[in-house]
Amino acid sequence: MSVQIAVLDGVAKSYGGTEALHPTDLVFGPGVIGLLGPNGAGKSTMLRLLATAMPPTAGRIVVGGHLATGGIADRTAARRRLSYLPQEVGIPRRMTSFGFLDYIAVLKEWKDREARHREVLRVLGLVNLEESRTKRVSALSGGQRRRLALAQALMGDPDLVILDEPTTGLDPEQRASLRGILSLYATRGSVLLSTHQTEDVSALCDRVIILDAGRIRFDGTVPELVGLAEGQVWVGAESNTGALSSWRTGNGEVRSLGGAPAAGSRRADPAVEDAYLLVRSDAKIGEAR
Ligand code: ADP
Protein backbone atom coordinates (compact mmCIF):
# COMPACT_ATOMS: atom_id res chain seq x y z
CA MET A 1 0.00 0.00 0.00
CA SER A 2 1.55 3.31 -1.07
CA VAL A 3 0.05 5.90 1.30
CA GLN A 4 0.03 4.92 4.96
CA ILE A 5 -2.37 7.26 6.76
CA ALA A 6 -2.62 5.28 9.99
CA VAL A 7 -0.68 2.30 11.29
CA LEU A 8 -1.39 0.00 14.22
CA ASP A 9 1.62 -2.05 15.17
CA GLY A 10 0.97 -4.76 17.77
CA VAL A 11 -1.72 -2.62 19.38
CA ALA A 12 -3.60 -4.23 22.27
CA LYS A 13 -5.92 -2.96 24.99
CA SER A 14 -7.14 -4.61 28.15
CA TYR A 15 -9.41 -3.14 30.79
CA GLY A 16 -8.46 -4.89 34.01
CA GLY A 17 -8.86 -8.55 33.13
CA THR A 18 -10.80 -8.01 29.89
CA GLU A 19 -8.69 -8.14 26.72
CA ALA A 20 -10.87 -5.84 24.57
CA LEU A 21 -8.36 -5.80 21.67
CA HIS A 22 -5.81 -8.57 21.14
CA PRO A 23 -2.47 -7.54 19.56
CA THR A 24 -3.42 -6.10 16.18
CA ASP A 25 -1.44 -4.98 13.10
CA LEU A 26 -3.26 -2.82 10.54
CA VAL A 27 -2.37 -0.23 7.91
CA PHE A 28 -4.98 2.22 6.64
CA GLY A 29 -4.65 4.03 3.31
CA PRO A 30 -7.15 6.34 1.57
CA GLY A 31 -10.73 5.10 1.32
CA VAL A 32 -13.68 4.22 3.53
CA ILE A 33 -13.01 1.36 5.93
CA GLY A 34 -15.98 -0.19 7.74
CA LEU A 35 -15.63 -1.92 11.09
CA LEU A 36 -18.32 -4.53 11.68
CA GLY A 37 -18.83 -6.70 14.73
CA PRO A 38 -21.31 -7.55 17.47
CA ASN A 39 -21.65 -5.42 20.60
CA GLY A 40 -18.58 -5.81 22.78
CA ALA A 41 -16.34 -6.86 19.83
CA GLY A 42 -13.83 -4.07 20.51
CA LYS A 43 -14.84 -1.62 17.75
CA SER A 44 -15.13 1.46 19.98
CA THR A 45 -11.92 0.45 21.73
CA MET A 46 -10.03 0.40 18.41
CA LEU A 47 -11.51 3.76 17.38
CA ARG A 48 -10.75 5.40 20.75
CA LEU A 49 -7.16 4.15 20.60
CA LEU A 50 -6.69 5.62 17.12
CA ALA A 51 -8.29 8.88 18.24
CA THR A 52 -5.72 9.01 21.11
CA ALA A 53 -8.63 9.19 23.57
CA MET A 54 -6.77 6.56 25.63
CA PRO A 55 -3.40 4.82 25.40
CA PRO A 56 -3.04 1.17 24.33
CA THR A 57 -1.77 -1.45 26.77
CA ALA A 58 0.84 -2.45 24.16
CA GLY A 59 1.97 -1.46 20.68
CA ARG A 60 2.41 1.73 18.70
CA ILE A 61 0.04 3.84 16.60
CA VAL A 62 1.10 6.26 13.86
CA VAL A 63 -1.32 8.81 12.35
CA GLY A 64 -0.33 11.10 9.47
CA GLY A 65 3.32 10.18 10.04
CA HIS A 66 3.25 11.13 13.76
CA LEU A 67 3.61 8.69 16.63
CA ALA A 68 0.23 8.93 18.38
CA THR A 69 1.53 6.75 21.21
CA GLY A 70 4.62 8.92 21.66
CA GLY A 71 5.28 11.95 23.85
CA ILE A 72 3.02 14.97 24.10
CA ALA A 73 4.48 16.77 21.04
CA ASP A 74 4.07 13.73 18.76
CA ARG A 75 0.62 12.99 20.17
CA THR A 76 -0.50 16.58 19.56
CA ALA A 77 0.85 16.45 15.98
CA ALA A 78 -1.09 13.18 15.41
CA ARG A 79 -4.25 14.74 16.90
CA ARG A 80 -4.03 17.64 14.45
CA ARG A 81 -4.29 15.11 11.62
CA LEU A 82 -7.44 13.33 12.82
CA SER A 83 -11.03 13.94 13.76
CA TYR A 84 -13.30 11.78 15.88
CA LEU A 85 -17.01 11.26 16.41
CA PRO A 86 -17.43 9.26 19.63
CA GLN A 87 -20.51 7.13 20.22
CA GLU A 88 -21.78 9.60 22.77
CA VAL A 89 -21.00 13.30 22.66
CA GLY A 90 -21.95 15.52 25.59
CA ILE A 91 -22.84 18.88 24.03
CA PRO A 92 -23.57 21.76 26.44
CA ARG A 93 -27.34 22.24 26.18
CA ARG A 94 -27.31 26.02 26.41
CA MET A 95 -24.95 26.51 23.47
CA THR A 96 -26.31 27.18 19.98
CA SER A 97 -25.39 24.84 17.12
CA PHE A 98 -23.17 27.55 15.65
CA GLY A 99 -21.65 28.40 19.04
CA PHE A 100 -20.79 24.77 19.73
CA LEU A 101 -19.05 24.26 16.37
CA ASP A 102 -17.25 27.60 16.68
CA TYR A 103 -16.00 26.55 20.11
CA ILE A 104 -14.74 23.21 18.73
CA ALA A 105 -13.06 25.07 15.84
CA VAL A 106 -11.23 27.30 18.34
CA LEU A 107 -10.03 24.16 20.15
CA LYS A 108 -8.87 22.87 16.77
CA GLU A 109 -6.72 26.00 16.46
CA TRP A 110 -8.67 27.90 13.79
CA LYS A 111 -7.40 31.35 14.69
CA ASP A 112 -8.72 33.48 11.80
CA ARG A 113 -12.28 34.33 12.85
CA GLU A 114 -13.64 34.80 9.33
CA ALA A 115 -12.17 31.55 8.00
CA ARG A 116 -13.39 29.75 11.12
CA HIS A 117 -16.95 30.99 10.70
CA ARG A 118 -16.89 30.01 7.02
CA GLU A 119 -15.85 26.50 8.03
CA VAL A 120 -18.56 26.27 10.72
CA LEU A 121 -21.20 27.27 8.16
CA ARG A 122 -19.78 24.79 5.65
CA VAL A 123 -20.07 21.82 8.03
CA LEU A 124 -23.51 22.98 9.27
CA GLY A 125 -24.53 22.85 5.60
CA LEU A 126 -23.03 19.37 5.14
CA VAL A 127 -25.27 17.96 7.89
CA ASN A 128 -28.24 20.09 6.84
CA LEU A 129 -28.41 22.16 10.01
CA GLU A 130 -27.87 25.71 8.64
CA GLU A 131 -31.41 26.68 9.55
CA SER A 132 -30.94 25.53 13.13
CA ARG A 133 -27.66 27.37 13.60
CA THR A 134 -29.07 29.81 16.16
CA LYS A 135 -31.08 27.16 18.00
CA ARG A 136 -29.90 26.02 21.40
CA VAL A 137 -28.80 22.40 21.65
CA SER A 138 -31.59 21.79 24.21
CA ALA A 139 -34.15 22.60 21.46
CA LEU A 140 -32.69 20.17 18.89
CA SER A 141 -34.12 16.69 18.23
CA GLY A 142 -32.00 13.61 18.97
CA GLY A 143 -31.20 13.18 15.25
CA GLN A 144 -30.21 16.87 14.94
CA ARG A 145 -27.87 16.57 17.94
CA ARG A 146 -26.26 13.52 16.41
CA ARG A 147 -25.75 15.45 13.15
CA LEU A 148 -24.26 18.37 15.07
CA ALA A 149 -21.81 15.96 16.71
CA LEU A 150 -20.99 14.59 13.28
CA ALA A 151 -20.41 18.10 11.90
CA GLN A 152 -17.49 18.70 14.29
CA ALA A 153 -15.79 15.56 12.94
CA LEU A 154 -16.12 16.86 9.35
CA MET A 155 -14.37 20.13 10.16
CA GLY A 156 -11.09 21.00 8.49
CA ASP A 157 -9.13 18.62 6.33
CA PRO A 158 -8.15 15.65 8.50
CA ASP A 159 -6.10 12.73 7.14
CA LEU A 160 -8.08 10.31 9.28
CA VAL A 161 -11.79 10.67 10.06
CA ILE A 162 -12.88 8.29 12.83
CA LEU A 163 -16.63 7.82 13.21
CA ASP A 164 -18.23 5.59 15.85
CA GLU A 165 -21.64 4.57 14.44
CA PRO A 166 -22.18 7.73 12.38
CA THR A 167 -25.47 6.58 10.82
CA THR A 168 -27.27 5.92 14.11
CA GLY A 169 -30.23 8.30 14.37
CA LEU A 170 -30.12 9.36 10.71
CA ASP A 171 -33.10 8.86 8.41
CA PRO A 172 -32.56 7.22 4.99
CA GLU A 173 -32.08 10.55 3.18
CA GLN A 174 -29.55 11.77 5.71
CA ARG A 175 -27.72 8.44 5.47
CA ALA A 176 -27.53 8.75 1.71
CA SER A 177 -26.25 12.30 2.03
CA LEU A 178 -23.62 11.23 4.59
CA ARG A 179 -22.39 8.57 2.17
CA GLY A 180 -21.83 11.28 -0.44
CA ILE A 181 -19.87 13.44 2.04
CA LEU A 182 -17.69 10.59 3.32
CA SER A 183 -16.82 9.35 -0.14
CA LEU A 184 -15.43 12.84 -0.89
CA TYR A 185 -13.21 12.77 2.22
CA ALA A 186 -12.04 9.30 1.28
CA THR A 187 -10.48 10.35 -2.02
CA ARG A 188 -7.35 11.46 -0.17
CA GLY A 189 -7.85 10.50 3.50
CA SER A 190 -8.98 7.47 5.48
CA VAL A 191 -12.49 7.34 6.84
CA LEU A 192 -12.79 4.64 9.48
CA LEU A 193 -16.30 3.99 10.71
CA SER A 194 -18.01 1.42 12.88
CA THR A 195 -21.54 0.42 12.03
CA HIS A 196 -24.19 -2.20 12.54
CA GLN A 197 -25.72 -1.40 9.15
CA THR A 198 -24.52 -3.87 6.55
CA GLU A 199 -26.19 -1.63 3.89
CA ASP A 200 -23.73 1.14 4.79
CA VAL A 201 -20.88 -1.28 4.23
CA SER A 202 -22.05 -2.47 0.84
CA ALA A 203 -22.90 1.07 -0.31
CA LEU A 204 -19.80 2.85 0.89
CA CYS A 205 -16.83 0.84 2.10
CA ASP A 206 -13.70 0.07 0.06
CA ARG A 207 -12.57 -2.24 2.81
CA VAL A 208 -14.35 -4.17 5.58
CA ILE A 209 -12.87 -5.39 8.83
CA ILE A 210 -14.88 -7.75 11.01
CA LEU A 211 -13.93 -7.74 14.68
CA ASP A 212 -15.16 -10.33 17.12
CA ALA A 213 -14.07 -10.74 20.74
CA GLY A 214 -11.14 -8.36 20.15
CA ARG A 215 -9.73 -10.21 17.13
CA ILE A 216 -9.88 -9.51 13.40
CA ARG A 217 -11.94 -12.24 11.71
CA PHE A 218 -12.03 -10.75 8.21
CA ASP A 219 -10.17 -7.97 6.40
CA GLY A 220 -10.87 -7.42 2.71
CA THR A 221 -13.09 -5.79 0.10
CA VAL A 222 -16.88 -6.00 -0.03
CA PRO A 223 -16.81 -8.40 -3.05
CA GLU A 224 -14.30 -10.62 -1.19
CA LEU A 225 -16.56 -10.65 1.86
CA VAL A 226 -19.73 -11.37 -0.12
CA GLY A 227 -17.82 -14.09 -2.00
CA LEU A 228 -17.56 -16.07 1.26
CA ALA A 229 -21.33 -16.63 1.11
CA GLU A 230 -21.40 -17.58 -2.58
CA GLY A 231 -23.46 -20.78 -3.02
CA GLN A 232 -24.74 -20.68 0.56
CA VAL A 233 -27.95 -18.71 0.07
CA TRP A 234 -31.07 -20.52 -1.14
CA VAL A 235 -34.70 -19.68 -1.74
CA GLY A 236 -37.55 -22.15 -1.94
CA ALA A 237 -40.80 -23.32 -0.43
CA GLU A 238 -39.08 -24.67 2.71
CA SER A 239 -36.18 -23.68 4.93
CA ASN A 240 -32.79 -25.44 4.50
CA THR A 241 -32.13 -28.16 7.06
CA GLY A 242 -29.68 -26.83 9.63
CA ALA A 243 -29.78 -23.29 8.18
CA LEU A 244 -27.83 -20.61 10.02
CA SER A 245 -30.73 -18.25 9.43
CA SER A 246 -33.92 -18.39 7.42
CA TRP A 247 -37.03 -16.31 6.99
CA ARG A 248 -40.08 -16.01 4.79
CA THR A 249 -39.62 -13.09 2.40
CA GLY A 250 -42.25 -10.68 1.09
CA ASN A 251 -43.08 -12.92 -1.88
CA GLY A 252 -43.81 -15.89 0.37
CA GLU A 253 -40.60 -17.85 -0.36
CA VAL A 254 -38.18 -18.91 2.36
CA ARG A 255 -34.64 -17.55 2.11
CA SER A 256 -32.04 -19.66 3.91
CA LEU A 257 -28.36 -19.17 4.68
CA GLY A 258 -26.25 -22.33 4.98
CA GLY A 259 -27.50 -25.84 5.75
CA ALA A 260 -28.74 -28.47 3.31
CA PRO A 261 -31.09 -27.08 0.63
CA ALA A 262 -34.67 -28.33 0.65
CA ALA A 263 -35.93 -30.09 -2.52
CA GLY A 264 -36.83 -27.61 -5.26
CA SER A 265 -34.78 -24.74 -3.76
CA ARG A 266 -32.59 -22.56 -5.98
CA ARG A 267 -29.50 -20.51 -5.31
CA ALA A 268 -29.78 -16.77 -4.62
CA ASP A 269 -27.25 -13.94 -4.58
CA PRO A 270 -25.60 -13.44 -1.20
CA ALA A 271 -25.40 -10.05 0.55
CA VAL A 272 -22.91 -8.56 3.03
CA GLU A 273 -25.16 -9.62 5.91
CA ASP A 274 -25.01 -13.29 4.85
CA ALA A 275 -21.22 -13.26 4.75
CA TYR A 276 -21.07 -11.42 8.08
CA LEU A 277 -23.27 -14.09 9.71
CA LEU A 278 -21.02 -16.84 8.31
CA VAL A 279 -17.86 -15.17 9.61
CA ARG A 280 -19.52 -14.72 13.02
CA SER A 281 -20.58 -18.35 13.08
CA ASP A 282 -17.03 -19.52 12.21
CA ALA A 283 -15.66 -17.31 15.00
CA LYS A 284 -18.06 -18.88 17.50
CA ILE A 285 -17.10 -22.41 16.40
CA GLY A 286 -13.42 -21.44 16.73
CA GLU A 287 -13.97 -20.17 20.24
CA ALA A 288 -15.92 -23.25 21.33
CA ARG A 289 -12.96 -25.48 20.35
P1 ADP B 1 -17.91 -2.48 20.72
O1 ADP B 1 -17.64 -1.05 20.39
O2 ADP B 1 -17.54 -3.41 19.61
O3 ADP B 1 -19.32 -2.71 21.20
P2 ADP B 1 -16.14 -2.04 22.99
O4 ADP B 1 -14.84 -1.64 22.42
O5 ADP B 1 -17.02 -0.97 23.55
O6 ADP B 1 -16.94 -2.92 21.92
O7 ADP B 1 -15.88 -3.10 24.15
C1 ADP B 1 -15.00 -4.21 24.03
C2 ADP B 1 -14.93 -4.93 25.37
O8 ADP B 1 -14.29 -4.09 26.33
C3 ADP B 1 -16.28 -5.30 25.97
O9 ADP B 1 -16.12 -6.54 26.64
C4 ADP B 1 -16.54 -4.18 26.95
O10 ADP B 1 -17.36 -4.62 28.01
C5 ADP B 1 -15.13 -3.85 27.45
N1 ADP B 1 -14.97 -2.44 27.82
C6 ADP B 1 -15.12 -1.36 26.99
N2 ADP B 1 -14.85 -0.21 27.64
C7 ADP B 1 -14.53 -0.56 28.91
C8 ADP B 1 -14.14 0.19 30.09
N3 ADP B 1 -14.03 1.52 30.05
N4 ADP B 1 -13.88 -0.51 31.21
C9 ADP B 1 -13.98 -1.87 31.24
N5 ADP B 1 -14.32 -2.62 30.18
C10 ADP B 1 -14.61 -1.99 29.03
Side-chain angles (χ1 to χ4, degrees):
M1 193 181 298
S2 49
V3 189
Q4 298 198 339
I5 291 170
V7 180
L8 279 82
D9 179 11
V11 172
K13 179 74 187 179
S14 44
Y15 302 101
T18 313
E19 187 129 40
L21 189 67
H22 290 269
T24 298
D25 299 319
L26 281 172
V27 176
F28 298 128
V32 183
I33 304 128
L35 257 189
L36 275 178
N39 289 326
K43 303 182 297 297
S44 293
T45 297
M46 186 190 281
L47 299 187
R48 292 178 65 205
L49 290 169
L50 268 162
T52 75
M54 62 183 180
T57 319
R60 54 201 285 287
I61 300 172
V62 177
V63 177
H66 303 282
L67 189 62
T69 43
I72 183 95
D74 287 327
R75 201 160 65 239
T76 305
R79 279 182 183 160
R80 288 190 177 123
R81 301 310 324 146
L82 62 85
S83 70
Y84 173 44
L85 170 70
Q87 218 165 62
E88 279 170 31
V89 184
I91 306 179
R93 296 173 63 81
R94 292 182 59 80
M95 275 188 165
T96 63
S97 305
F98 186 95
F100 169 68
L101 291 176
D102 193 44
Y103 166 69
I104 296 291
V106 170
L107 295 181
K108 291 192 174 190
E109 305 170 297
W110 287 70
K111 293 199 177 72
D112 177 344
R113 192 164 177 269
E114 226 173 277
R116 192 173 73 230
H117 286 182
R118 260 202 313 277
E119 180 62 3
V120 169
L121 289 174
R122 183 186 74 90
V123 294
L124 275 170
L126 284 181
V127 298
N128 211 0
L129 278 180
E130 312 96 313
E131 286 178 7
S132 305
R133 65 184 178 275
T134 55
K135 264 196 188 171
R136 284 191 200 280
V137 170
S138 54
L140 299 179
S141 70
Q144 286 176 320
R145 274 182 221 169
R146 191 67 188 148
R147 278 187 279 148
L148 182 59
L150 174 65
Q152 59 76 33
L154 299 177
M155 211 176 260
D157 190 21
D159 293 332
L160 174 64
V161 180
I162 303 165
L163 306 170
D164 206 342
E165 298 193 16
T167 51
T168 306
L170 302 189
D171 64 33
E173 277 168 27
Q174 291 160 355
R175 270 173 42 197
S177 140
L178 179 66
R179 286 175 190 162
I181 296 164
L182 296 185
S183 50
L184 283 181
Y185 276 77
T187 52
R188 54 160 289 280
S190 296
V191 176
L192 176 62
L193 58 91
S194 69
T195 182
H196 285 294
Q197 309 282 343
T198 47
E199 305 95 299
D200 288 339
V201 171
S202 34
L204 183 65
C205 295
D206 303 291
R207 180 175 171 190
V208 194
I209 294 172
I210 298 179
L211 262 187
D212 202 333
R215 291 182 206 276
I216 294 175
R217 306 292 182 173
F218 175 87
D219 182 356
T221 63
V222 171
E224 283 165 354
L225 176 61
V226 174
L228 298 179
E230 200 59 63
Q232 304 246 37
V233 180
W234 296 80
V235 286
E238 303 289 332
S239 165
N240 287 8
T241 312
L244 200 58
S245 79
S246 69
W247 69 85
R248 197 168 289 280
T249 64
N251 68 8
E253 286 188 308
V254 179
R255 185 183 191 279
S256 304
L257 171 65
S265 294
R266 62 187 192 283
R267 279 192 182 160
D269 289 338
V272 167
E273 187 180 61
D274 300 308
Y276 171 75
L277 292 173
L278 285 175
V279 171
R280 282 272 294 135
S281 144
D282 284 351
K284 277 193 217 149
I285 293 166
E287 252 154 48
R289 275 198 196 113

